[in-house]
Amino acid sequence: MVVHSPAEVAARAAGSADLVALDAGVVDCFACPRLVAWREEVAATRRAAFRDQVYWGRPVPGFGVPDARIAILGLAPAAHGGNRTGRIFTGDRSGDVLFAALHRAGLANQPTSVSADDGLALHDLRIFASVRCAPPDNKPTPVERDTCAPWLWRELELIKPTVRVVVALGAFAWAAWWPAMSRVYGGAPPSPRPAFGHGAHWTSPDGGYPHLLGCYHVSQQNTFTGRLTPAMLDDIFARAKELARGA
Ligand code: SF4
């Protein structure tokens, strides 16, 4: 059943009994007219290098194991990455950097992520985005962010029994975390909200919430300029693993 409105997103997400059902709902979502038009236009026009490929052109669901202790929360799929291949952080430079680091950390079975059928598997990790469709200029509107939020909330709810650490890739994901946390775990977010930064770490005094770790986004603006280096990513994922173990 196709999803056409914010109310239908909320109902379909809340009614998803498991991640398989949730992912099936996500890929059938058409609730944001601007993003639906954009994802389809990109898929129709294509980048020259991918002219011979059929783009996915749909929302991109989460990826990884259902009993993950570590989650990575991103912004949204890339127009010629996830929107092309159908898998988050797959088929673009951001994914090259991210999965090389995850492989070094022992969280992925291979260092590359090129297509949905390339054999990539994650260990103890699930990756998902705050907004599930590629937005123009990588900038979803506040309305689009809020419309898509129930998919994130339900995904978080379904992995809540095991997840101990959330790595927020960039300030957008960091900001999206607080309402999701309140919704799924209850309670108000800390006030004032902790500022995003690379290596920023928030944990609740009573330990009732996952640890939140900030990490610069693996965008080309950050990785090409050296603002985010492989060593910095290694430190973040080493810390995430420590926190997941309760260290
Ligand atoms: S951004 Fe989210 S809510 Fe909007 S159409 Fe895509 S999947 Fe649906």
Side-chain angles (χ1 to χ4, degrees):
M1 186 182 66
V2 171
V3 176
H4 282 299
S5 69
E8 288 177 9
V9 171
R12 181 78 179 264
S16 297
D18 54 29
L19 288 169
V20 173
L22 184 82
D23 292 350
V26 167
V27 302
D28 268 346
C29 187
F30 292 76
C32 302
R34 187 184 78 115
L35 298 189
V36 171
W38 177 247
R39 75 193 192 199
E40 292 179 354
E41 182 188 326
V42 170
T45 54
R46 291 170 285 179
R47 180 175 280 170
F50 307 124
R51 190 74 71 204
D52 60 340
Q53 296 186 14
V54 176
Y55 274 49
W56 172 248
R58 300 285 285 267
V60 179
F63 174 59
V65 295
D67 56 351
R69 287 184 301 171
I70 301 172
I72 295 176
L73 177 59
L75 193 173
H80 301 279
N83 188 59
R84 174 172 62 89
T85 62
R87 194 174 68 194
I88 194 82
F89 285 115
T90 296
D92 63 6
R93 296 289 178 88
S94 299
D96 292 345
V97 172
L98 178 63
F99 284 103
L102 293 175
H103 183 249
R104 290 194 299 274
L107 294 168
N109 69 331
Q110 61 187 42
T112 56
S113 177
V114 296
S115 65
D117 60 356
D118 62 5
L120 177 66
L122 305 183
H123 307 307
D124 209 13
L125 176 67
R126 187 150 176 105
I127 305 176
F128 39 73
S130 310
V131 172
R132 307 292 165 112
C133 290
D137 299 322
N138 292 320
K139 286 185 183 144
T141 66
V143 169
E144 290 160 353
R145 175 200 62 202
D146 293 348
T147 300
C148 204
W151 296 126
L152 168 62
W153 298 342
R154 185 62 183 146
E155 188 151 8
L156 188 56
E157 217 162 43
L158 289 166
I159 64 169
K160 183 180 174 185
T162 56
V163 74
R164 299 289 173 264
V165 184
V166 175
V167 177
L169 285 184
F172 188 97
W174 181 268
W177 168 251
W178 306 111
M181 184 186 85
S182 286
R183 176 77 183 202
V184 174
Y185 289 83
S191 180
R193 294 189 186 178
F196 171 75
H198 185 81
H201 176 203
W202 177 82
T203 185
S204 64
D206 65 359
Y209 302 90
H211 295 273
L212 180 66
L213 277 179
C215 179
Y216 289 151
H217 196 278
V218 287
S219 64
Q220 291 186 50
Q221 295 97 308
N222 287 335
T223 58
F224 279 17
T225 58
R227 186 169 188 247
L228 178 64
T229 65
M232 290 166 71
L233 279 169
D234 290 347
D235 288 346
I236 290 289
F237 293 127
R239 185 71 181 125
K241 288 174 66 178
E242 281 174 9
L243 292 169
R245 287 196 304 267

